[in-house]
Amino acid sequence: MRWKSASRRERRAAPRFRRQWRIEIKTGAGVWRGTSVDVSTLGMRVRLDKALEPRRLMFVSLESDDPGGAIWSPVSLVREVSSAEYGIRFVDLSERELLRLTRLLAL
């Protein structure tokens, strides 16, 4: 019998939370709209209205019920999960935005 290590069972560096927030990904080539599927403080899985073509510079806007407005961050495409879902990583989430996101995920 082979045992799986804890790191092999759960490889995520941060817990993910199921949240369906409106998002926009902006690049020099256009805007992609969709919703988050799950979110962590390191990144998120998103479902978009059209196929995302990776760009060097992409920004995400995350709309929630937070009175502070949208959370903005540069992002990088990690992988295509399915034809309409993508894993993206926050590249340089500011301390202020990280605190806001952490608070929203705890609700």
Side-chain angles (χ1 to χ4, degrees):
M1 177 177 210
R2 296 178 70 174
W3 295 94
K4 293 181 181 178
S5 70
S7 62
R8 188 166 182 179
R9 282 190 306 251
E10 180 54 58
R11 299 179 315 194
R12 301 207 186 281
R16 293 216 168 207
F17 300 88
R18 291 209 179 272
R19 300 290 189 268
Q20 292 187 351
W21 293 326
R22 290 185 316 275
I23 63 132
E24 284 187 355
I25 294 178
K26 296 182 180 184
T27 73
V31 176
W32 286 258
R33 290 179 176 82
T35 57
S36 61
V37 175
D38 58 42
V39 182
S40 80
T41 55
L42 299 176
M44 64 182 153
R45 185 166 41 123
V46 298
R47 187 171 297 123
L48 300 175
D49 59 349
K50 57 186 175 183
L52 177 64
E53 296 179 22
R55 303 284 178 184
R56 284 188 69 195
L57 190 57
M58 299 188 303
F59 293 90
V60 70
S61 165
L62 197 83
E63 297 285 338
S64 69
D65 295 332
D66 186 64
I71 293 175
W72 282 90
S73 176
V75 293
S76 66
L77 178 65
V78 175
R79 69 184 181 102
E80 183 175 354
V81 177
S82 68
S83 62
E85 286 189 6
Y86 300 86
I88 60 174
R89 178 182 310 134
F90 300 126
V91 175
D92 192 18
L93 193 61
S94 72
E95 185 175 335
R96 177 181 179 271
E97 299 293 58
L98 176 60
L99 289 171
R100 290 177 60 211
L101 181 58
T102 301
R103 186 172 42 81
L104 287 169
L105 291 174
L107 297 178

